[in-house]
Amino acid sequence: MTSTTAPLTSWPLARTDRRAAALAAVDSIRDELAIGAIESESGRRLSDRSIAALRQSRVLGIMTPDDLGGNVVDAVTAFEVIEKIGHIDPATAWTATILLEGAGELATVVSEDTARRIFAGGIALKAASLKPGSAQRVDGGYVVSGRWDFVSGLFHADYVTATFLIADEAGKPVRRAALLPRGEIEILDDWQVLGMRGTGSSSFQADHVFVADHMIYDPMAEGCRTDTPLSRLGMVPFVLQMHPGMVLGAARRALDEIVGAAPKIRRGGRINLHQPPALTELTWFQRELGELDARVRAARSLCIDTLHQVNYVIDAGDRVQLPLLDQMQTAASLAAKTSVEVVTRAFRHAGAAAILDDSLLSKLLRDLNTISAHGVMGEAGFESHAEFILGLQTDENRRMV
């Protein structure tokens, strides 16, 4: 397992103090992540520089229980951490989110003894694919085979989740997940995409790999461990609590970029005899900038309000129920749609300079549109919300977007 030596001092226990420590940890590696983002883009995977910084800062432990070497933060803080990284680079934020969520899930779905063995050398990172492969039941476990795609963070994961379908006692198909060490799979370097190139979301292949029963779990059920906040979230809320942060961080970065460039942008400056006014002098741009800023703030406020409710539920020892789960999905879809629109408008206002390959706004445009193609962040979440409003949705018939 890849690991680094943990810092000598741990994060404080009090929620407000731990939040401050978590956000400071991101600030401490901002420059490394910014340089690493360039390397990730060209290498089509999270750079070694970035993963080293994320590990050393302990950011990758924010969903792993403290007694396994992590430093769990609450739902709002988790959002804010990923938002900060998203402001630096959405591909880095996405990959970090997948890996740290995977570590937290890995810590809770296996038995206590197995978890302590897995995490003995440091935070164990996990990547996953929900596309089902195949598995054959054998004595003591399953033999797993297949090809799984869109596995973000695959190159830096210690374990991968390979899902498969089996028949339950009633003959109905149910999903199960097998935990495979990365050394037992073949990585297929097939991540050739429009945006989010730095996530390294390649495919992997497994050929008749034996996985013991203690490394098999139900990804949609409650895990073996239920004594931590993250273990009570469940898989879907697990994802929904942080993913909106990365897109809203990127949208804020786009606004920061256009605000900084606007005094120097003069449309028609190449062909007009007289110097045109700068964007900052044009009332239509001022009005648009004010609206875009308000829209980002509004989407963010819905996310933060929702996650405060999540904190309340978890602090009470309960699990997220359908009404709050629906609100989490709606907040994620709104965050993604708002962020894509904000980045697109900022890109258009920036003029010809934005179309260059090395333009930050060009990269944000590609990255955010790519993120919006992901089911959890797509506009299908609004359809799900409408079903909930109309009373058509229950715990039994709710579908994953």
Side-chain angles (χ1 to χ4, degrees):
M1 181 191 307
T2 303
S3 64
T4 58
T5 302
L8 293 177
T9 57
S10 60
W11 289 2
L13 294 177
R15 176 172 289 180
T16 54
D17 295 336
R18 180 159 288 202
R19 172 182 177 272
L23 298 180
V26 179
D27 289 337
S28 72
I29 59 173
R30 173 174 289 275
D31 292 343
E32 282 293 286
L33 294 184
I35 298 171
I38 299 172
E39 299 170 355
S40 300
E41 180 80 358
S42 60
R44 294 182 297 107
R45 48 173 280 188
L46 186 66
S47 69
D48 292 340
R49 178 193 298 270
S50 294
I51 195 70
L54 289 165
R55 277 190 178 275
Q56 188 63 35
S57 67
R58 304 189 68 180
V59 167
L60 294 179
I62 64 171
M63 299 304 291
T64 298
D66 286 26
D67 59 21
L68 291 177
N71 27 269
V72 173
V73 300
D74 66 278
V76 174
T77 300
F79 171 95
E80 292 176 312
V81 165
I82 299 304
E83 181 184 34
K84 268 183 171 288
I85 301 176
H87 188 273
I88 302 167
D89 176 52
T92 301
W94 180 277
T95 313
T97 301
I98 295 296
L99 290 173
L100 67 87
E101 285 173 346
E105 184 184 39
L106 182 56
T108 59
V109 297
V110 297
S111 69
E112 180 180 350
D113 289 344
T114 300
R116 295 202 178 282
R117 175 177 57 80
I118 289 174
F119 285 83
I123 299 297
L125 304 178
K126 182 178 76 66
S129 172
L130 291 177
K131 177 183 178 181
S134 63
Q136 180 181 358
R137 180 65 180 168
V138 296
D139 185 31
Y142 290 85
V143 174
V144 179
S145 298
R147 174 175 174 167
W148 291 262
D149 55 10
F150 295 103
V151 191
S152 301
L154 177 59
F155 291 90
H156 294 292
D158 300 301
Y159 289 85
V160 296
T161 292
T163 56
F164 58 92
L165 300 178
I166 59 173
D168 64 10
E169 295 179 355
K172 296 181 180 180
V174 293
R175 192 186 302 270
R176 292 293 180 265
L179 295 168
L180 286 70
R182 195 183 67 184
E184 296 188 11
I185 64 169
E186 177 187 358
I187 296 178
L188 308 175
D189 189 12
D190 57 1
W191 188 239
Q192 307 282 347
V193 288
L194 172 70
M196 298 297 280
R197 297 169 185 167
T199 63
S201 304
S202 294
S203 305
F204 73 85
Q205 184 169 302
D207 186 19
H208 295 89
V209 177
F210 172 75
V211 183
D213 282 330
H214 70 272
M215 298 293 277
I216 303 290
Y217 67 99
D218 180 352
M220 305 304 295
E222 189 174 278
C224 294
R225 181 169 185 163
T226 59
D227 65 331
T228 65
L230 55 90
S231 68
R232 290 193 291 271
L233 273 174
M235 188 188 73
V236 176
F238 214 63
V239 173
L240 291 174
Q241 68 170 335
M242 282 185 284
H243 278 55
M246 72 184 72
V247 293
L248 290 171
R252 177 56 59 190
R253 179 67 182 275
L255 288 180
D256 290 345
E257 289 296 311
I258 195 62
V259 167
K264 301 183 287 290
I265 297 175
R266 298 180 183 274
R267 291 188 165 180
R270 289 182 175 85
I271 57 177
N272 289 312
L273 295 177
H274 301 289
Q275 179 171 269
L279 274 185
T280 50
E281 303 174 70
L282 300 173
T283 56
W284 66 263
F285 174 76
Q286 297 168 2
R287 184 167 55 248
E288 165 120 327
L289 178 62
E291 179 186 345
L292 295 178
D293 177 79
R295 290 173 65 184
V296 171
R297 291 175 182 273
R300 185 179 190 275
S301 292
L302 177 60
C303 289
I304 295 294
D305 175 69
T306 301
L307 293 175
H308 276 301
Q309 295 179 53
V310 170
N311 278 344
Y312 179 81
V313 169
I314 291 175
D315 289 345
D318 298 326
R319 293 182 65 85
V320 172
Q321 302 299 321
L322 181 59
L324 184 51
L325 177 59
D326 173 76
Q327 187 171 324
M328 293 178 77
Q329 176 61 72
T330 305
S333 295
L334 181 63
K337 182 173 184 178
T338 299
S339 298
V340 168
E341 292 173 349
V342 167
V343 168
T344 300
R345 295 306 299 170
F347 172 83
R348 292 178 180 174
H349 293 321
I355 70 174
L356 301 175
D357 266 348
D358 61 354
S359 160
L360 176 61
L361 286 174
S362 175
K363 181 180 183 301
L364 290 176
L365 184 75
R366 297 193 305 271
D367 285 354
L368 269 290
N369 276 280
T370 300
I371 288 176
S372 68
H374 190 278
V376 171
M377 302 299 288
E379 293 190 34
F382 296 127
E383 297 174 19
S384 178
H385 184 47
E387 290 174 357
F388 177 79
I389 294 173
L390 295 169
L392 303 176
Q393 194 175 107
T394 65
D395 288 318
E396 288 71 30
N397 68 12
R398 180 179 173 84
R399 55 186 171 82
M400 290 181 62
V401 295

